[in-house]
Amino acid sequence: MDNVVEEQKIDTIKDAIKNVIKKSQAADGLVKGLNQVGKALDRKDAHVCILAEDCDDPKYKKLISALAKQNKIPLIEVESRQELGQWLGQCKYDKEGQARKVRGASSVAILDYGEQSDALAYLERYIKEHDK
């Protein structure tokens, strides 16, 4: 008689990031946008930074990457700005639950993970494995 609500299975880094973003948003531990992410990286407040690969401004990517590297903050790249925007809730949903009018987000910094979870453990393992 186990009435523990089971978390969704985390199989990919995308699932882990999505889940960690939701939890850190609930704990108000997330900043987005060049200005806020840049400040968080510069102050070394961020645990991890997420950058969209399809960001259309190469200087933007270069700046965020350099700040993350300089301050030894792990940087994870995701494929799409639109996807990152959707994970952040920057969209409207239609009656069928499909995301519409998604606003993209090129970068996100996580300052507070919120609660511990399988997704967070997966993300931390991923960071350790890919740390250069």
Side-chain angles (χ1 to χ4, degrees), residues 65-109:
S65 300
L67 281 171
K69 191 174 185 178
Q70 175 189 332
N71 296 311
K72 295 176 178 59
I73 294 166
L75 180 73
I76 297 173
E77 290 199 353
V78 294
E79 290 166 21
S80 157
R81 296 179 68 241
Q82 299 297 84
E83 204 169 41
L84 194 53
Q86 188 176 338
W87 297 345
L88 289 165
Q90 296 183 162
C91 58
K92 290 186 174 14
Y93 292 97
D94 63 14
K95 290 174 188 151
E96 289 82 45
Q98 295 296 316
R100 301 278 181 243
K101 296 185 181 175
V102 180
R103 278 186 46 220
S106 291
S107 61
V108 176

Side-chain angles (χ1 to χ4, degrees), residues 29 44-49 72-75 109-114 127:
K44 300 180 184 172
D45 287 345
H47 293 300
V48 66
C49 180
K72 295 176 178 59
I73 294 166
L75 180 73
I110 296 176
L111 312 179
D112 178 4
Y113 287 129
I127 289 168

Side-chain angles (χ1 to χ4, degrees), residues 4-58:
V4 175
V5 179
E6 197 174 311
E7 272 188 37
Q8 70 183 55
K9 187 83 179 107
I10 306 298
D11 294 326
T12 65
I13 188 62
K14 273 186 178 182
D15 292 340
I17 291 170
K18 195 166 152 180
N19 197 297
V20 169
I21 283 176
K22 279 194 177 124
K23 292 216 179 351
S24 66
Q25 247 180 342
D28 199 29
L30 192 99
V31 291
K32 54 191 181 248
L34 179 62
N35 196 4
Q36 288 183 313
V37 171
K39 282 181 188 174
L41 291 174
D42 203 32
R43 289 192 306 251
K44 300 180 184 172
D45 287 345
H47 293 300
V48 66
C49 180
I50 301 161
L51 179 67
E53 288 174 6
D54 70 347
C55 173
D56 45 10
D57 187 352

